[in-house]
Amino acid sequence: MKTIVLYRSKYGSTKSYAEWIGEALGCEVRDAKGVKADELLCYDKIVYGGGLYAEIIAGVTLITKNIEKLKDKKIAVFTTGITPLDCRAYYDGEVLEKNFKNGVPENVKIFNLMGKMILAELSLPHRLAIKALKKIMSGKENPTDMEKLLIELCDADGDFTDKAQIADLVEYIKG
Ligand SMILES: Cc1cc2nc3c(=O)[nH]c(=O)nc-3n(C[C@H](O)[C@H](O)[C@H](O)COP(=O)(O)O)c2cc1C
């Protein structure tokens, strides 16, 4: 059985998880940038990881736009974000709706992992985007619980990555 771990990562947390997963599975790990779906046809199992940016899983269209070609593969997609993992309505609702418009295919299983956001490391466009989001959310008269959480998350400044979080995904791919 041939397995590959692919990732897209701007600030490094998804890359760290990809490397830990690759180490645990003893398989190849590759930055997904520039990878074509045809290059994946020789693998039986594919792990794809992407950082969450405005609910979009970075680069996941490599999987979602090629799902027909990849339909006989066992696929795990993991997200890396700063939204707490108990916000299931967020992960199972908004995130899936935005990235898997036709629903999650049967051969794909989703995992959510905690990433990092170090405000001082953010690019200027990202810093401005976070500032703008906080301003918009703070201006709401009756913010929903999710909007209140978003305001808090704009100030989340820390590294929440943890190797232990890969356990379920690794077990799934090995199984
Ligand atoms: C502009 C911007 C938008 C973000 N949007 C989300 C989001 O929608 N949901 C989330 O949970 N985290 C969000 N984050 C946090 C990132 O997903 C988090 O920093 C993640 O670890 C990034 O992955 P990377 O280190 O592999 O690039 C956002 C961060 C930035 C800078």
Side-chain angles (χ1 to χ4, degrees), residues 64-93:
T64 54
K65 286 203 171 153
N66 294 296
I67 209 66
E68 190 52 34
K69 270 187 187 172
L70 303 175
K71 65 175 188 291
D72 62 337
K73 316 288 178 197
K74 181 171 185 172
I75 302 176
V77 169
F78 72 89
T79 67
T80 311
I82 52 154
T83 306
L85 300 180
D86 58 1
C87 292
R88 295 316 314 167
Y90 173 77
Y91 286 108
D92 301 337

Side-chain angles (χ1 to χ4, degrees), residues 12 17-18 32-33 35 37 43 46 59 83 122 124 130-131 142 148 150 170:
Y17 281 122
K33 192 172 183 193
V35 172
Y43 296 94
I46 300 168
T83 306
L122 294 185
L124 182 60
I130 297 288
K131 208 170 161 190
N142 294 306
K148 284 183 202 161
L150 266 177
V170 168

Side-chain angles (χ1 to χ4, degrees), residues 8-15 51-55 80-83 90-91 115-117 122 126 129-130:
R8 290 307 313 273
S9 180
K10 178 157 175 69
Y11 296 105
S13 49
T14 312
K15 185 178 183 203
L52 280 175
Y53 290 93
E55 282 91 49
T80 311
I82 52 154
T83 306
Y90 173 77
Y91 286 108
K116 68 168 179 177
M117 192 160 85
L122 294 185
H126 276 173
I130 297 288

